Amino acid sequence: MHCQKLRINKFLPNIFFILLIAQIPDVWAATLIYQHSNAQYSISVFKSEAPTFYTEHSITLDSITGDQAIFIYNGSSYPVTCNGNWHNLDPAPGTEIQNTISCLPDTGMYIAEGSKINVTIRLFDQNLYKTDNIHLMAPEYNDSTLNNTNIASPWSISDDKYTATACKWETQNLGNDLLNSRGVPPGYWVVYAKTDVIDLSFAIDVPPQYPYSESNIICLADLNTDGDISENEVAICYLCPFCFNVEDKYLCPLGAIDCIGDTPVCPLGDYACIPNSDGVLQCSPYSCSAFNPGNFSDEDTEEGENDKTDNGPVDEDGGCLGTLYIFSGNDKRCRPRGFDTNFHNCCKEQAGFYTLPDPNDPTPDQVGICTGSEVQLTVMKEKKLCHYIGDYCSKKAPLAGCIQKKETYCCFHSMLSRIINEQGRTQLQNFGNDGGWGSPKAPNCRGFTIEEFQMIDFDLIDLSEWFDEIVTKSVEGIQNDMDQKLQRFYDNTN
């Protein structure tokens, strides 16, 4: 048994703590969004009673049926129609702090129907009007960032991975009808707090659709004898239109040549001469058979079966009683060009591939190829969160060879986690010189135990890639902060 979740500043050396403070205004929430799986996230929201701290909200996509989605939010089930309209997530003390959610199905050409939706969420601190959250003095006395803030000019921070913003602002009841109706005494102060998340991708894997139906007669042939079936090694067979009184025969176009002689014979040997699509008698050394997925050999293993999750035993105070892992990753897989994907690459580097139809695609009606989790992996790779493990054959055809491969990655919740894993593992005997990543069929994406983490020599960790990233983010954050201060100045002087 084990526990995985850990706020990163608790065990980091001082240099990391200083860096994180410089980069993130509130270190407790190093990221506003914590991704547990393709379908589950935790989202941090400021706490009104302690504005420098956060509370976590858990949101899970339970199912998708057409445009109907069911979310599990903080333990309760909420059906939502994914039509772009706002839907309430739970009853709130007032409409001004109503938690809402909006979603739309992802209609990318190569995304499996019913597997992925894009979600926009607005979450407030629902404890706003509790008595102990109502302040006699302006809350800025212990949180200077609240000074002169209001709903039009809040103090906000942005997430470092997703399009998410957490904001807070103070309001004094100076004869405000709304605050009076909520039980806020005259002259007292409250702090509003909310988090907005735009286009967060939730994905549920559905069985991929095959590019062939069971009415198709197909031929597979490993023409170059490399053990893999590529796009030019799959063909639809031609039906003999003249065989009415005998068993139907089919011609495989792969390796087909013309038959010769007045009594046609196959130059390749004892193979049947069958008319091709133009009526020319041809023969092929390769045989045809009716498409049947059950005839293929499944060589796959379950994605994520070895991942470390937050399911260990805890004590009455919520403390972990099992093994605590720091910077754990998750097993993520995708399918490159192969039979199952109709030779589309579901590991393609650019996520836009899935949402922009290819006008030159010969099968524009072919949808439901790449799963939602494959699309999500592509996004994580773009954010430089993943370490490549390798590829393996996930499916074979009898006598033909491998018809579909999968690529395996260990993906982490931040670039920093990935870098420390890549460079820290090789320092530790438990992982070995190769980093102990396991195999593509059984990857080892676990993080470090506390003892292992303390043994890492951080002087040997090259953080230049991460520094480049946080410098960019810092410049953006400074610019946003300046814009907010200027806006507040103009608001206060007009």
Side-chain angles (χ1 to χ4, degrees):
M1 301 295 288
H2 52 266
C3 300
Q4 172 187 336
K5 194 170 182 180
L6 179 72
R7 292 299 173 188
I8 61 176
N9 60 323
K10 187 173 182 181
F11 290 99
L12 282 174
N14 290 338
I15 184 172
F16 282 97
F17 185 71
I18 292 170
L19 286 171
L20 287 172
I21 288 179
Q23 166 62 12
I24 304 163
D26 294 278
V27 182
W28 194 91
T31 56
L32 297 176
I33 300 173
Y34 184 92
Q35 180 187 354
H36 298 276
S37 67
N38 295 328
Q40 183 182 31
Y41 296 83
S42 287
I43 300 175
S44 294
V45 181
F46 281 115
K47 296 171 67 175
S48 297
E49 69 273 22
T52 57
F53 294 100
Y54 298 75
T55 181
E56 285 196 341
H57 298 242
S58 176
I59 299 179
T60 304
L61 177 61
D62 184 65
S63 63
I64 311 175
T65 305
D67 64 351
Q68 302 297 306
I70 296 178
F71 291 90
I72 307 298
Y73 172 61
N74 288 346
S76 299
S77 179
Y78 295 90
V80 174
T81 301
C82 289
N83 55 7
N85 295 332
W86 286 104
H87 302 269
N88 293 344
L89 274 176
D90 57 6
T95 56
E96 72 278 7
I97 57 170
Q98 175 64 60
N99 291 337
T100 54
I101 187 169
S102 174
C103 56
L104 285 172
D106 196 310
T107 56
M109 174 175 288
Y110 303 119
I111 298 172
E113 182 179 357
S115 69
K116 181 174 179 285
I117 57 177
N118 296 319
V119 176
T120 297
I121 308 169
R122 171 163 290 179
L123 298 175
F124 289 86
D125 177 13
Q126 296 294 301
N127 293 324
L128 175 65
Y129 298 121
K130 289 177 59 178
T131 302
D132 55 356
N133 295 340
I134 300 173
H135 306 271
L136 175 60
M137 297 176 59
E140 64 204 39
Y141 72 90
N142 61 2
D143 185 4
S144 59
T145 58
L146 289 172
N147 190 28
N148 296 323
T149 57
N150 54 61
I151 189 171
S153 181
W155 183 87
S156 304
I157 63 171
S158 298
D159 193 89
D160 63 350
K161 279 175 53 183
Y162 301 93
T163 307
T165 305
C167 295
K168 56 187 175 181
W169 63 95
E170 63 181 9
T171 299
Q172 186 180 22
N173 185 7
L174 299 176
N176 186 300
D177 290 340
L178 172 64
L179 294 181
N180 285 333
S181 68
R182 304 301 182 215
V184 180
Y188 278 63
W189 296 75
V190 293
V191 176
Y192 288 86
K194 72 173 181 178
T195 297
D196 286 327
V197 182
I198 300 174
D199 284 341
L200 193 63
S201 295
F202 284 75
I204 292 180
D205 284 335
V206 298
Q209 300 176 8
Y210 281 100
Y212 302 99
S213 68
E214 296 194 13
S215 62
N216 292 137
I217 308 297
I218 64 171
C219 179
L220 305 174
D222 186 9
L223 301 178
N224 59 6
T225 66
D226 64 353
D228 296 333
I229 299 299
S230 57
E231 187 171 6
N232 63 349
E233 296 175 324
V234 181
I236 295 288
C237 298
Y238 299 131
L239 170 65
C240 169
F242 308 112
C243 306
F244 297 109
N245 300 318
V246 296
E247 182 180 357
D248 288 345
K249 292 182 174 63
Y250 299 88
L251 172 68
C252 174
L254 302 176
I257 64 172
D258 293 347
C259 292
I260 58 175
D262 294 334
T263 303
V265 295
C266 178
L268 300 175
D270 188 19
Y271 300 107
C273 291
I274 302 171
N276 63 15
S277 57
D278 296 323
V280 178
L281 289 175
Q282 289 189 317
C283 60
S284 170
Y286 306 109
S287 60
C288 300
S289 61
F291 172 71
N292 183 356
N295 291 338
F296 300 142
S297 173
D298 189 352
E299 306 285 324
D300 209 358
T301 55
E302 184 178 353
E303 178 182 302
E305 63 180 346
N306 296 321
D307 285 352
K308 304 299 184 186
T309 55
D310 304 334
N311 63 354
V314 296
D315 58 25
E316 293 181 355
D317 298 325
C320 180
L321 296 175
T323 302
L324 187 66
Y325 291 99
I326 305 170
F327 291 140
S328 275
N330 297 104
D331 168 12
K332 300 291 185 183
R333 308 184 195 184
C334 60
R335 296 166 298 164
R337 296 171 63 89
F339 184 81
D340 284 2
T341 67
N342 199 16
F343 298 96
H344 291 292
N345 186 357
C346 291
C347 298
K348 194 172 178 69
E349 294 296 331
Q350 296 297 321
F353 167 80
Y354 302 101
T355 56
L356 298 176
D358 181 0
N360 299 316
D361 194 299
T363 56
D365 296 326
Q366 184 66 51
V367 297
I369 296 172
C370 302
T371 66
S373 61
E374 287 174 320
V375 179
Q376 196 167 57
L377 171 56
T378 296
V379 174
M380 296 181 78
K381 287 162 59 182
E382 286 185 349
K383 294 178 180 292
K384 301 179 182 179
L385 304 178
C386 302
H387 175 84
Y388 177 63
I389 305 298
D391 64 12
Y392 66 97
C393 180
S394 61
K395 191 170 294 184
K396 290 183 178 180
L399 305 178
C402 184
I403 61 173
Q404 184 64 59
K405 287 186 174 182
K406 281 190 176 180
E407 294 181 3
T408 302
Y409 297 80
C410 282
C411 294
F412 301 89
H413 297 295
S414 69
M415 181 189 297
L416 180 63
S417 298
R418 193 254 306 161
I419 292 172
I420 292 178
N421 266 273
E422 288 179 337
Q423 300 182 41
R425 282 169 170 251
T426 56
Q427 297 183 25
L428 303 176
Q429 185 175 358
N430 288 351
F431 291 98
N433 294 333
D434 62 352
W437 294 98
S439 68
K441 278 192 173 183
N444 176 20
C445 300
R446 78 162 175 88
F448 306 98
T449 65
I450 294 175
E451 293 76 17
E452 290 170 341
F453 193 75
Q454 292 172 336
M455 294 171 62
I456 296 175
D457 184 352
F458 285 92
D459 289 337
L460 301 178
I461 302 292
D462 179 6
L463 293 176
S464 57
E465 181 183 7
W466 185 61
F467 284 142
D468 291 343
E469 183 77 8
I470 65 172
V471 166
T472 301
K473 293 291 184 181
S474 295
V475 171
E476 294 174 354
I478 292 171
Q479 183 62 52
N480 291 336
D481 187 53
M482 291 177 61
D483 291 343
Q484 289 181 9
K485 291 183 186 301
L486 286 172
Q487 185 62 49
R488 290 177 197 165
F489 172 77
Y490 288 123
D491 290 341
N492 293 332
T493 54
N494 292 333

